[in-house]
Every structure is written in C-alpha cells, then in structure tokens.
Amino acid sequence: MVRSITPRELDNALCGEERMLLLDVRSRSEHDLHPEAIPGSQWRDPAMADTWLPSIPEGTSAVVYCAGGGEASRGIQSRLTARGVAARYLEGGLAAWQRQHGGEHGEQGGPAVRTGEGC
C-alpha cells in the first residue's frame, strides 16, 4: 500500500510528538544544484539505495521526498515499506513544501531524525 503525506500533514507531525526520519532522495545533480532542504532532513543518494536502505531499522517512521513527489520518492517509499519501515512519501515533494512555506528555499539539512518540538 502506497502511503503519502501532504506538506500540511508533515508540518503538523513535526509540530507534535511524532518522531520520524526525514529523507531527501533527490538525485545527486538536483541536490547539488538546489541544496535547500526541509529542516531536519538527511539527503540520501537514490542511486545508492541498495547500500543505505538496510541501515534503516524496521519499525522506523519515515517521510521520503524528492523534488516533485514523483518516481524517486515513491520508489524509495515502496522499498522501505517492504522492509517493515512505516514510510510515507511527501505529496508534491520539496516544491510543494516550499510553496506552503512561501518560498523556493528551505534550509540546509539538519539532524536526520526529527522529534516533535512544537511550533
């Protein structure tokens, strides 16, 4: 089952108590060209997914995003779910999150696991 999360739902989750792993899976070239990211996310090269997917423990809650919420994030979300990770992809990707926040630029990635910190 493919599960998604909207930018608003992601904001609500980050403002609450939910602890989650935020994964930026944009291509290396996209990431290098536009290094802005959702605060608290960690970039993972989708071309190297076979090497880093096993490091994410079963039962982890994760949100995966790419530039526009397409193939990259959905493919990684599917692979994580198959490994027992509670993974969702961000609808509309980084672009939708940036539009919700009134701009094109996020922040450089921070800690890989976000704990709900309130807003």
Side-chain angles (χ1 to χ4, degrees), residues 68-81:
E71 287 278 322
S73 59
R74 292 178 192 200
I76 297 295
Q77 181 271 334
S78 178
R79 292 177 69 184
L80 285 167
T81 299

Side-chain angles (χ1 to χ4, degrees), residues 7-27:
R8 184 169 312 283
E9 291 168 335
L10 177 59
D11 282 346
N12 290 340
L14 294 174
C15 288
E17 296 299 317
E18 186 172 352
R19 184 173 166 88
M20 69 180 66
L21 179 65
L22 294 174
L23 297 174
D24 175 351
V25 295
R26 293 175 292 152
S27 68

Side-chain angles (χ1 to χ4, degrees), residues 34-57:
H34 301 286
E36 305 82 24
I38 295 174
S41 66
Q42 181 179 17
W43 179 75
R44 299 283 180 103
D45 188 346
M48 302 296 293
D50 289 339
T51 62
W52 57 262
L53 278 171
S55 70
I56 300 174

Side-chain angles (χ1 to χ4, degrees), residues 52-109:
W52 57 262
L53 278 171
S55 70
I56 300 174
E58 183 177 334
T60 299
S61 178
V63 172
V64 182
Y65 70 90
C66 60
E71 287 278 322
S73 59
R74 292 178 192 200
I76 297 295
Q77 181 271 334
S78 178
R79 292 177 69 184
L80 285 167
T81 299
R83 297 183 52 79
V85 174
R88 295 170 281 182
Y89 74 89
L90 181 61
E91 292 179 11
L94 180 60
W97 186 87
Q98 289 171 326
R99 282 191 302 274
Q100 178 172 304
H101 290 270
E104 297 179 5
H105 303 289
E107 298 177 10
Q108 297 294 331

